């Protein structure tokens, strides 16, 4: 393939290394997350609640770039583990408020070593990591423009 089809070469794709890295990072998280009985999606959800303590589902979905169809089963599992509670807003029944529980807050102590343990899996300089994060956040901020 050349010329007209160069854009179809895997080596010319930005999306492929992003996909492959993301998949590999999540795979490397797994043994650490298994220790605290969370999936990666449950972990990032808990990260939001460790920081904000409560949030409605719509806001949570925006923060995590997840739709309610993906988020609902995650929240149900976290609620079954007693890490969060969910209740309808008294002001607006359509609004589901999610709060971290004491048990969920206590999990934070067990989880706080995971970022450093993950960092030891890579030899990426702090400055390079910051630049990469900045570029990815810039890209994420542009997703709405394409819909």
């Amino acid at each position: 393939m050349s010329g007209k089809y160069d854009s179809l070469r895997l080596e010319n794709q930005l999306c492929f290394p992003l996909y492959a890295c993301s998949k590999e990072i999540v795979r490397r998280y797994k043994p650490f997350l298994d220790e605290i009985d969370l999936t990666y999606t449950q972990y990032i959800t808990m990260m939001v609640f460790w920081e904000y303590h409560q949030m409605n589902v719509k806001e949570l979905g925006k923060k995590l770039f997840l739709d309610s169809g993906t988020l609902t089963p995650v929240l149900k599992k976290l609620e079954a583990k007693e890490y969060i509670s969910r209740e309808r807003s008294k002001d607006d029944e359509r609004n589901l408020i999610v709060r971290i529980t004491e048990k969920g807050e206590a999990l934070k102590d067990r989880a706080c070593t995971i970022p450093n343990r993950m960092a030891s899996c890579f030899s990426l300089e702090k400055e390079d990591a910051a630049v990469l994060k900045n570029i990815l956040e810039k890209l994420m901020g542009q997703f709405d423009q394409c819909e």
Side-chain angles (χ1 to χ4, degrees):
M1 274 195 300
S2 66
K4 168 176 162 177
Y5 299 110
D6 280 351
S7 65
L8 297 178
R9 295 177 63 99
L10 190 60
E11 67 193 37
N12 292 336
Q13 303 305 306
L14 173 62
C15 61
F16 180 71
L18 288 171
Y19 162 78
C21 282
S22 175
K23 193 169 75 68
E24 188 62 23
I25 288 169
V26 171
R27 186 184 73 77
R28 290 181 185 235
Y29 262 105
K30 188 172 178 356
F32 304 132
L33 296 176
D34 284 349
E35 293 174 12
I36 60 171
D37 190 31
L38 292 178
T39 65
Y40 182 76
T41 308
Q42 291 169 351
Y43 174 65
I44 61 173
T45 301
M46 289 304 298
M47 291 177 101
V48 171
F49 289 114
W50 290 325
E51 185 174 354
Y52 296 98
H53 304 286
Q54 83 171 38
M55 185 171 290
N56 73 41
V57 173
K58 188 174 181 178
E59 291 170 327
L60 180 63
K62 281 185 177 181
K63 281 214 170 292
L64 296 175
F65 287 81
L66 296 173
D67 61 38
S68 63
T70 302
L71 210 44
T72 297
V74 170
L75 295 174
K76 285 183 178 181
K77 287 190 178 172
L78 291 173
E79 187 174 41
K81 294 176 186 192
E82 301 177 347
Y83 294 148
I84 61 161
S85 65
R86 299 178 306 148
E87 67 181 58
R88 296 273 168 206
S89 168
K90 289 164 184 49
D91 299 331
D92 183 351
E93 285 284 318
R94 296 169 297 174
N95 199 1
L96 186 63
I97 306 296
V98 184
R99 291 182 178 84
I100 193 166
T101 63
E102 285 184 34
K103 186 175 179 181
E105 190 64 43
L107 184 64
K108 186 165 135 179
D109 285 334
R110 293 182 57 210
C112 70
T113 63
I114 293 174
N116 285 337
R117 291 168 71 193
M118 272 302 294
S120 70
C121 294
F122 310 101
S123 59
L124 193 60
E125 298 294 325
K126 267 188 171 179
E127 296 80 19
D128 290 339
V131 168
L132 178 59
K133 183 177 180 293
N134 189 32
I135 291 169
L136 292 172
E137 286 174 345
K138 185 176 183 179
L139 185 61
M140 289 165 52
Q142 296 175 9
F143 288 147
D144 288 340
Q145 297 172 9
C146 221
E147 290 182 47

